[in-house]
Amino acid sequence: MPIHFNDRDVVSKVAGLSSALIVPCYMCPAVTVSVREKKPFIQLFKSFLKSAPYEEYITTLQARLQENGVKTKVFKSAPSHEWFMCMWTSGKRKKLQKYAEQYDAVIVLGCDSATETVREALKSTDCKLIEGMEVAGIMNAQIRFHLPGNVSFENCKIVPISQLRQKEGELE
């Protein structure tokens, strides 16, 4: 099942900067947002392979950053195999590096593996790397298909990752 996230305060992290490239993973964070908003993950006949709640989340983040004087752009991933940032091709990673050179910071919306993908791509840039989300656990859920083509996650539980549970003293 997907990783579940909590949001981090990115607005304070971009203080003093003028631009940021938002680099979203389109799978786990999108599921997190759709579950949190209690909305379908995907509406196949309305927005095909885009998660409307996640797109709205990203747009809201852009507006908040804009209010604080930071202009933004979203680094898009069109083909579905590029939804998982941790599995991006070398070409996609090089494209990110080229785009990132134009920005003061890159905001990653994804897991630690997604952050590592971006970190590697940013090695030769002066961009500040900002993690926009933090892992809260793994989601245990039931995927549901509802007519007219809505894909949702229901009966969701957040299962702590054993290392996090160990850190908090729940496991030995």
Side-chain angles (χ1 to χ4, degrees):
M1 289 307 296
I3 296 171
H4 185 76
F5 297 96
N6 291 327
D7 296 335
R8 289 189 169 172
D9 175 21
V10 297
V11 174
S12 66
K13 302 279 188 204
V14 297
L17 302 177
S18 62
S19 63
L21 181 64
I22 299 171
V23 183
C25 180
Y26 284 93
M27 184 48 69
C28 297
V31 172
T32 294
V33 172
S34 70
V35 167
R36 181 171 56 208
E37 299 292 324
K38 295 179 173 67
K39 294 180 179 174
F41 168 60
I42 292 179
Q43 295 176 295
L44 295 173
F45 299 113
K46 190 172 182 183
S47 56
F48 190 51
L49 293 178
K50 288 187 178 183
S51 176
Y54 192 46
E55 295 293 326
E56 187 176 306
Y57 172 87
I58 293 170
T59 300
T60 301
L61 175 59
Q62 285 185 281
R64 287 180 45 229
L65 292 168
Q66 183 69 36
E67 288 171 3
N68 287 275
V70 180
K71 66 179 180 171
T72 63
K73 183 172 180 177
V74 178
F75 188 75
K76 298 283 185 177
S77 293
S80 59
H81 74 278
E82 293 183 348
W83 277 8
F84 298 90
M85 193 185 308
C86 57
M87 295 187 275
W88 277 0
T89 63
S90 61
K92 186 70 171 187
R93 293 167 193 237
K94 286 177 186 173
K95 184 177 177 184
L96 171 60
Q97 179 183 14
K98 184 177 178 180
Y99 270 76
E101 291 172 349
Q102 305 167 43
Y103 295 88
D104 297 328
V106 171
I107 300 169
V108 179
L109 301 178
C111 67
D112 295 348
S113 184
T115 300
E116 184 59 26
T117 296
V118 174
R119 183 176 284 113
E120 286 292 316
L122 296 181
K123 276 186 176 178
S124 65
T125 71
D126 293 330
C127 284
K128 179 179 180 177
L129 178 65
I130 299 170
E131 294 178 271
M133 296 179 149
E134 65 182 354
V135 173
I138 299 171
M139 193 177 306
N140 181 298
Q142 297 170 355
I143 193 166
R144 294 281 190 237
F145 181 81
H146 300 279
L147 293 175
N150 294 347
V151 179
S152 299
F153 291 89
E154 298 175 357
N155 300 319
C156 300
K157 296 176 195 152
I158 310 309
V159 179
I161 296 174
S162 59
Q163 293 155 334
L164 294 175
R165 288 173 52 202
Q166 200 168 32
K167 183 179 173 183
E168 296 168 358
E170 292 180 27
L171 294 176
E172 292 185 28

